[in-house]
Amino acid sequence: MEGELLKVFDKNRNEIGVAPRSEVHQKGLWHETFHCWLVRKDPSGTEIFFQLRSKNKKDWPNLLDITAAGHLLADETVEDGIREVEEELGIPVHFQDLISLGVIQNQVTIGAFLDHEFCHVFLYEGNFKDEDFNLQEEEVSGMFQASFDEFCELWTGGRETLEVEGFVLDKEGVRLSESRVVSQDDFVSQESTYYPELIEKMTKIMGRQ
């Protein structure tokens, strides 16, 4: 995976070449990623879904994350990023069914790990149920959902914790229902502006529908 080739850019999103993934994160080179957030609407409100990263992941194990996400390789287009949804979650989806939220710039520095991303962010609405997810166990060890309104409050200062419900996979791959009370520290690190910008974009889109 560290040898994967990624397109690299300057800070103005001008493409300047190609580099291995390991070098991209060592030097903090700008590159592209694909983010897809799944939401479910029902009469009681809107819920947003998170994946639980596998405990075996090198980066941010056992933390809640974007529903499905990944790097765009050097030979891929943004449309190719749709593979992440099916690979990680086992949910087939067509690119034309996604709602674009545009590009969010995201910079995260943790020690020697420099992650400078142009995130192509999408929203996917559906009537998702736990049994719909067929998780890629080496990447994802569970799925959780929460009230979208409460998720917004968590990242805009309205609350300190969030109740999430879903399931985790045990060692045999059996689904175990689980509820948790989580805080911002239970999510993968993002730039401080990422979630507020995401929430603003999602709220505008969903408010027009």
Side-chain angles (χ1 to χ4, degrees), residues 91-149:
I91 292 181
V93 58
H94 299 291
F95 186 79
Q96 59 266 29
D97 294 330
L98 303 183
I99 301 169
S100 175
L101 300 180
V103 176
I104 297 178
Q105 291 186 223
N106 192 37
Q107 301 182 68
V108 177
T109 300
I110 300 179
F113 182 82
L114 309 175
D115 198 15
H116 293 178
E117 300 181 357
F118 292 116
C119 312
H120 296 267
V121 186
F122 295 88
L123 181 67
Y124 184 41
E125 294 184 11
N127 186 27
F128 307 108
K129 302 178 179 63
D130 285 353
E131 55 266 28
D132 295 330
F133 297 104
N134 183 21
L135 303 182
Q136 185 181 21
E137 294 184 34
E138 61 269 28
E139 298 283 338
V140 185
S141 60
M143 288 294 300
F144 288 90
Q145 68 268 0
S147 159
F148 176 69
D149 289 340

Side-chain angles (χ1 to χ4, degrees), residues 157-177:
R159 62 170 54 228
E160 294 184 355
T161 61
L162 176 69
E163 184 175 348
V164 300
E165 296 183 353
F167 69 89
V168 296
L169 301 177
D170 67 11
K171 293 180 180 179
E172 286 72 43
V174 176
R175 300 173 187 226
L176 304 175
S177 297

